[in-house]
């Protein structure tokens, strides 16, 4: 692969309890959520992954829509990342993406979401590795 862009981030401290930076744009404390025995007084890797996946998928959705000459107004993509046991002493993730396309015919909205799922870099990175569910709604 020829890299078009490289993002860099640094985690310090103790991983899930520490600090993350990425250039001057991200400078955050990291803490496990209360559900995992933490203080919840910071962001966590699952929140960062959910935000990144939602934004990336939304960009892919707009690119696909432009290719179909469809204008997306007031669209959104919500991302939820779940973490749970993999049954073997480790953990696994699952992703739920909710695509909201007000005013777009349901069949076309589903087609755009399906195509975005094929071109989104996060979708391509996770395909076959974790469960990703994409739902489409008008609101």
């Amino acid at each position: 692969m020829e890299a078009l862009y490289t993002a860099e981030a640094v985690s310090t401290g103790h991983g899930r309890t520490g600090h993350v930076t990425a250039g001057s744009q991200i400078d955050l404390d990291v803490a496990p959520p209360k559900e995992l025995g933490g203080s919840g007084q910071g962001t966590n890797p699952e929140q960062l992954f959910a935000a990144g996946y939602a934004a990336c998928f939304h960009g892919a959705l707009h690119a696909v829509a432009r290719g179909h000459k469809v204008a997306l107004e007031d669209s959104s993509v919500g991302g939820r990342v779940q973490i749970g046991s993999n049954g073997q002493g480790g953990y696994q993730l699952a992703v739920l993406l909710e695509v909201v396309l007000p005013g777009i015919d349901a069949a076309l909205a589903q087609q755009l979401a399906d195509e975005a799922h094929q071109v989104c870099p996060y979708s391509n990175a996770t395909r076959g590795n974790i469960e990703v569910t994409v739902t489409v709604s008008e609101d």
Side-chain angles (χ1 to χ4, degrees):
M1 175 191 90
E2 181 183 334
L4 301 174
Y5 168 74
T6 300
E8 295 183 26
V10 175
S11 171
T12 57
H14 299 274
R16 286 185 165 269
T17 304
H19 199 81
V20 293
T21 59
S24 62
Q25 292 79 26
I26 296 176
D27 190 350
L28 302 168
D29 288 329
V30 181
K34 290 181 180 180
E35 296 85 349
L36 297 179
S39 69
Q41 298 298 310
T43 190
N44 59 65
E46 293 72 35
Q47 289 172 325
L48 295 170
F49 188 56
Y53 202 155
C56 189
F57 195 93
H58 202 192
L61 187 65
H62 275 270
V64 166
R66 277 192 305 276
H68 285 277
K69 298 189 180 355
V70 173
L72 300 181
E73 297 186 27
D74 298 322
S75 64
S76 66
V77 175
R80 288 185 286 178
V81 172
Q82 300 172 322
I83 185 169
S85 171
N86 68 0
Q88 301 171 359
Y91 297 92
Q92 65 186 30
L93 300 175
V95 175
L96 304 134
L97 297 173
E98 181 183 8
V99 176
V100 180
L101 298 175
I104 302 293
D105 171 76
L108 177 58
Q110 187 64 58
Q111 178 185 349
L112 296 174
D114 291 345
E115 289 182 26
H117 196 33
Q118 294 304 308
V119 300
C120 173
Y122 275 59
S123 293
N124 287 329
T126 59
R127 188 170 287 110
N129 297 309
I130 65 174
E131 182 181 330
V132 177
T133 303
V134 179
T135 60
V136 179
S137 66
E138 287 189 42
D139 54 9

